[in-house]
Amino acid sequence: MTDGEARDRSIAAYGVLDGAPRRELDSLVQLAAQVAGVPFAAVNLLSSHSQHQVATSGFDGADSPIDHSMCRLVVEGGKPIMLEDAGDDVRFAHNPWTTGEIADVKYYGSHPLTTPAGVTIGTLCVFDDRSHEVTPQAARGLAQLADRVVDVLELELASRRLNEVNARLSTSNERLAQFAGQVSHDLKNPLTSISLSLETLELDVDEPDQLDTVARARRGVDRMTDLINNLLEFAQQGQAPGDDVVDLAVEMQSALDDLTGRIPREQVVVGELPLVRGDAGQLRSVLMNLVDNAAKFTVPGEEPDVEVDSVPIDGHHRVEVRDRGRGIPEEKRERVFAPLARLDKTVEGSGIGLATCRRIVEAHGGRMGVEDREGGGAVFWFELPRADA
């Protein structure tokens, strides 16, 4: 396999060329430009025939022939290049990026992006139309951020693989949990690297814009960490829950204790809740998720109006959590229980909670759904066998 073919295969696996823009990559190139003190930066991926600018700062990215790419020498050599004036370097003196045909690059810094498998797929590049000194701080910062670019690509790849396996193995709880545990470990390693690097950068920068960019990047790391934890929880639920008698009234009060600060107790009206059999902790998690969702999806400007109650149905207990949110259209009621489904992206969350709830309920021999609430809102319900059934 040629180097170009190896790059093509690696880039295709990351799925970055045809997908939506990556906010994390955009943040990293902005930070790279600020750390280097230049107006322009880009993540360049080099396939066997083209240079693809998948994230840029200071200009609009575009694809171009690989023969025009300054970064091709970095990819082929596997080593960074830092120049005060690229036009004075024989390797770039006639390149259209330095002659004015495409741009008028003078200051130029480029660091290779190398995958864990050892394939160099592109560069993190910073440049300016003015020449100035190359500092050790800029070179070091570019190297750190280049590693973080690869970490972001690896995170998304591992996350997609986890989702694919999750879909294929939804009926195989033990295998899914084992795989999810391994993948979550693979995801958390680069996250830890990103977090540590951002902490280091935060100590080195002092400009407000730079600090703001670092803060946004750290918030992205926190969101990804929460998502990984939620995915792992989803994958590990659904095991045999045991046969203990569980008082849902007691678990409801514990859930409300855990939600203190998110929703006042007086805004949740709790009726009589039954005794069932299963795992108290898992069922408490279901109640807490449903009540928390009911509060989060309340129509803006209105106080939460949440009711929790139960009714007996044919040897089962049906527990209902009623809210006054926007409601859910009938054609989307199954979709809300799919992993990573988020119908309303204005509300914080990962889209894992309801999928986990249904997984727990089904492991307890029950079922779960949603319907309209009279007067507006939604009713999330789940049915479980009675404790004496």
Side-chain angles (χ1 to χ4, degrees), residues 190-237:
L191 267 182
T192 300
S193 297
I194 292 174
S195 183
L196 291 174
S197 293
L198 290 174
E199 288 179 13
T200 302
L201 285 170
E202 201 166 21
L203 296 174
D204 291 339
V205 301
D206 52 14
E207 294 295 327
D209 287 347
Q210 295 178 5
L211 289 171
D212 180 64
T213 304
V214 174
R216 284 191 285 113
R218 293 192 69 174
R219 288 196 294 271
V221 170
D222 291 341
R223 287 194 300 272
M224 183 66 80
T225 300
D226 290 341
L227 177 58
I228 293 168
N229 290 335
N230 288 333
L231 282 169
L232 184 58
E233 180 185 1
F234 169 74
Q236 290 177 332
Q237 298 294 351

Side-chain angles (χ1 to χ4, degrees), residues 174-362:
E174 182 179 350
R175 290 164 61 195
L176 177 59
Q178 185 179 34
F179 181 86
Q182 179 60 49
V183 172
S184 71
H185 177 269
D186 294 342
L187 286 166
K188 287 179 178 178
N189 280 343
L191 267 182
T192 300
S193 297
I194 292 174
S195 183
L196 291 174
S197 293
L198 290 174
E199 288 179 13
T200 302
L201 285 170
E202 201 166 21
L203 296 174
D204 291 339
V205 301
D206 52 14
E207 294 295 327
D209 287 347
Q210 295 178 5
L211 289 171
D212 180 64
T213 304
V214 174
R216 284 191 285 113
R218 293 192 69 174
R219 288 196 294 271
V221 170
D222 291 341
R223 287 194 300 272
M224 183 66 80
T225 300
D226 290 341
L227 177 58
I228 293 168
N229 290 335
N230 288 333
L231 282 169
L232 184 58
E233 180 185 1
F234 169 74
Q236 290 177 332
Q237 298 294 351
Q239 308 296 326
D243 197 36
D244 297 332
V245 175
V246 178
D247 188 340
L248 291 185
V250 172
E251 300 310 321
M252 184 72 255
Q253 294 307 311
S254 296
L256 291 176
D257 286 342
D258 293 339
L259 290 170
T260 298
R262 294 179 67 88
I263 177 171
R265 278 178 176 266
E266 61 269 18
Q267 292 177 350
V268 183
V269 178
V270 181
E272 292 189 12
L273 296 180
L275 299 176
V276 295
R277 289 191 177 275
D279 183 279
Q282 291 185 24
L283 294 175
R284 180 172 63 253
S285 175
V286 171
L287 291 168
M288 186 165 64
N289 262 288
L290 295 181
V291 172
D292 191 31
N293 273 358
K296 284 195 300 187
F297 287 93
T298 297
V299 175
E302 297 185 9
E303 293 293 330
D305 175 13
V306 183
E307 296 179 358
V308 184
D309 209 346
S310 69
V311 292
I313 299 179
D314 299 330
H316 287 68
H317 285 292
R318 178 182 172 116
V319 178
E320 298 182 348
V321 178
R322 312 176 189 118
D323 65 44
R324 286 297 184 194
R326 299 182 181 89
I328 299 173
E330 185 172 358
E331 67 274 11
K332 295 181 178 180
R333 289 178 187 169
E334 273 303 300
R335 185 182 163 197
V336 299
F337 294 103
L340 301 178
R342 294 180 62 200
L343 302 189
D344 186 351
K345 293 182 173 59
T346 64
V347 178
E348 180 184 356
S350 63
I352 299 295
L354 288 175
T356 303
C357 288
R358 175 176 273 189
R359 193 172 178 83
I360 291 171
V361 168
E362 290 179 346

Side-chain angles (χ1 to χ4, degrees), residues 85-136:
D85 191 334
D88 292 340
D89 190 293
V90 66
R91 294 170 294 179
F92 303 117
H94 302 291
N95 189 285
W97 282 88
T98 65
T99 61
E101 182 180 342
I102 297 177
D104 188 20
V105 173
K106 295 190 182 312
Y107 179 92
Y108 173 70
S110 182
H111 199 285
L113 303 176
T114 303
T115 72
V119 180
T120 300
I121 59 173
T123 68
L124 176 61
C125 171
V126 294
F127 59 96
D128 196 347
D129 54 11
R130 296 183 300 108
S131 60
H132 50 84
E133 181 185 3
V134 174
T135 66

Side-chain angles (χ1 to χ4, degrees), residues 36-58:
V38 300
F40 309 113
V43 170
N44 297 316
L45 299 185
L46 272 67
S47 64
S48 56
H49 54 83
S50 297
Q51 173 177 274
H52 310 273
Q53 293 175 324
V54 299
T56 61
S57 178

